[in-house]
Amino acid sequence: MLSNRVSSITPSYTIGISSKVSEMKASGIHVLDLSIGEPDFNVPYDAKYSGINSLNKNLTKYNMVPGLKILRDEICNKLLNENNCNYYTDEIVVSSGAKHCITNTLLALTNPEDEILLPKPYWVSYPEIIKLVNAKPIFIDSKKENNFKITPNDLIPYITPKTKVLILNNPSNPTGAIYTKEELISIVDFCIKNSIYILADEIYEKICFDNNFVSVASISESAKDITITVNGFSKSVAMTGLRLGYSASNKTIAKAISTIQGHLTSHPSLTAQYIGYGALKNCSNDINIMVKEYKSRRDLICDKINSIPYIDYIYPNGAFYVFIDLSSISKKFNFEESFSIKFCDRLLKEYSVAVVPGIAFGMDNYIRISFACSDNIFLEGLNKLNQFISDIMD
């Protein structure tokens, strides 16, 4: 007999799409994959060299649970110099990816049936991680005219005595929206007043195009005390498969996270940690080159989308996604099941274009496309999307 926990978990939509794409490619079908949330760059040389050098020195034995001291020291330097957040080394815990950081944090903060505020649209794994730790996701509706960024007024109807944490993804996956400092101040003040922790997922923080990014914990000392910042190396330096992330929090929370991690996984791979250290020390120029390319793609893809009828979208100021509104199209259909899944299944089957259905993010009238791929791929994919829309709307 499996646990009740397993029965409540929804399999990852994005992993399911990747499996279908792999099967089609294995059958010789050319698929235009606009679903992937993975940089199409390689890990910078200097970062890789740091990892190789650690192996040559046989630095492969057990180490400290919260991560290499030199890496945590460098993370503190990064947070101070780039984010204006002053953390000590023992307030940093390095984990096996941002997902691991989020899970550790919720295990440290929540009891069964505690409520976690989760604004829509949300990253696909948030609700399932919340359920895995026996907490309860409380979905917060937000407004398209505000690029789906929440305000305190959006939160008020959902506050109960069981409210424990607000998850704030900034920049957002899937919308690419970025909060201003003023917007963050109002949210922080509300959470302080209502004794709510903020889990600030800032994994896309480096990929910002038009706004100056502001970290939640930099707002004030009070904001820092209630904030658990989650970040990592997957998006900024293309270290997706190396599984390396980190959290920054006050000493009490960091100690709890480290205690939990010590029994679950100990520390992340040392080789990955040395690669992350090399990335922080020596790869800022490589990161800037990647971000410049993403911005060029953002401009190109938005120009193309503007020419496609019947759709609208959230203009992305960060990350490498576009969240496309298909409301005008969905009105024509009356599916008993999800519209966005049906739409994406047909687009993949008939036009060999893979995108992510909006239902994965809690918004069934939307799809998410990624521009973490070459110009040729996403432009051809958008041409086929345009043709598909024309065919079904005629």
Side-chain angles (χ1 to χ4, degrees), residues 266-286:
S266 189
H267 57 71
S269 159
L270 286 190
T271 307
Q273 291 191 62
Y274 280 109
I275 295 172
Y277 173 74
L280 288 177
K281 288 286 287 185
N282 303 310
C283 296
S284 59
N285 188 55
D286 299 272

Side-chain angles (χ1 to χ4, degrees), residues 70-365:
I70 58 168
L71 175 56
R72 288 183 290 138
D73 287 345
E74 199 59 38
I75 290 169
C76 288
N77 290 335
K78 182 265 179 209
L79 290 170
L80 179 62
N81 296 325
E82 296 182 7
N83 303 99
N84 196 30
C85 297
N86 187 15
Y87 283 97
Y88 294 98
T89 304
D90 60 357
E91 296 176 313
I92 308 298
V93 180
V94 182
S95 303
S96 299
K99 283 183 181 178
H100 189 198
C101 296
I102 294 165
T103 306
N104 282 344
T105 298
L106 295 183
L107 284 170
L109 293 180
T110 65
N111 294 310
E113 299 303 313
D114 276 350
E115 295 176 351
I116 314 298
L117 303 179
L118 188 56
K120 295 167 54 179
Y122 46 74
W123 175 55
V124 296
S125 289
Y126 289 144
E128 313 315 315
I129 293 173
I130 291 168
K131 289 184 281 186
L132 278 170
V133 303
N134 291 328
K136 183 179 179 181
I138 304 298
F139 300 108
I140 309 299
D141 292 319
S142 53
K143 297 178 178 62
K144 180 184 175 184
E145 54 266 31
N146 197 36
N147 292 330
F148 294 119
K149 294 187 288 183
I150 59 164
T151 68
N153 285 337
D154 295 323
L155 298 175
I156 289 171
Y158 300 94
I159 302 302
T160 76
K162 292 186 176 182
T163 304
K164 195 67 171 289
V165 180
L166 165 67
I167 295 182
L168 198 66
N169 184 203
N170 182 41
S172 166
N173 173 12
T175 67
I178 299 175
Y179 285 83
T180 66
K181 184 175 183 178
E182 291 70 26
E183 290 168 334
L184 292 176
I185 288 172
S186 66
I187 293 170
V188 165
D189 289 345
F190 178 86
C191 288
I192 291 172
K193 179 181 178 181
N194 289 278
S195 301
I196 300 169
Y197 288 107
I198 299 175
L199 195 164
D201 183 349
E202 299 179 355
I203 191 70
Y204 290 95
E205 140 269 327
K206 288 285 189 180
I207 309 174
C208 294
F209 308 131
D210 304 305
N211 298 338
N212 292 323
F213 175 79
V214 177
S215 186
V216 175
S218 71
I219 297 296
S220 65
E221 280 300 312
S222 297
K224 180 186 164 192
D225 194 52
I226 65 163
T227 298
I228 302 86
T229 301
V230 170
N231 208 324
F233 300 83
S234 292
K235 312 303 180 180
S236 60
V237 281
M239 286 174 56
T240 50
L242 292 168
R243 311 310 306 133
L244 192 68
Y246 61 87
S247 61
S249 58
N250 67 47
K251 291 186 192 318
T252 301
I253 296 173
K255 183 177 180 180
I257 290 172
S258 182
T259 299
I260 290 166
Q261 179 165 293
H263 291 291
L264 292 179
T265 61
S266 189
H267 57 71
S269 159
L270 286 190
T271 307
Q273 291 191 62
Y274 280 109
I275 295 172
Y277 173 74
L280 288 177
K281 288 286 287 185
N282 303 310
C283 296
S284 59
N285 188 55
D286 299 272
I287 294 171
N288 291 336
I289 290 171
M290 293 183 204
V291 174
K292 184 178 180 180
E293 177 61 24
Y294 289 136
K295 182 175 182 180
S296 174
R297 292 177 186 176
R298 187 277 307 268
D299 295 343
L300 189 60
I301 201 169
C302 288
D303 283 345
K304 181 65 178 179
I305 293 174
N306 287 336
S307 69
I308 301 177
Y310 303 110
I311 66 175
D312 194 12
Y313 64 99
I314 305 300
Y315 185 74
N317 287 311
F320 39 64
Y321 308 109
V322 185
F323 203 45
I324 297 179
D325 184 356
L326 303 178
S327 298
S328 296
I329 299 170
S330 65
K331 291 175 183 177
K332 286 194 62 174
F333 300 90
N334 186 25
F335 297 130
E336 291 184 5
E337 300 177 7
S338 162
F339 162 78
S340 61
I341 289 178
K342 291 285 187 181
F343 184 94
C344 292
D345 283 347
R346 282 191 59 186
L347 183 62
L348 180 58
K349 182 178 180 180
E350 299 174 21
Y351 293 82
S352 300
V353 177
V355 300
V356 183
I359 193 67
F361 312 99
M363 309 284 286
D364 197 32
N365 288 332

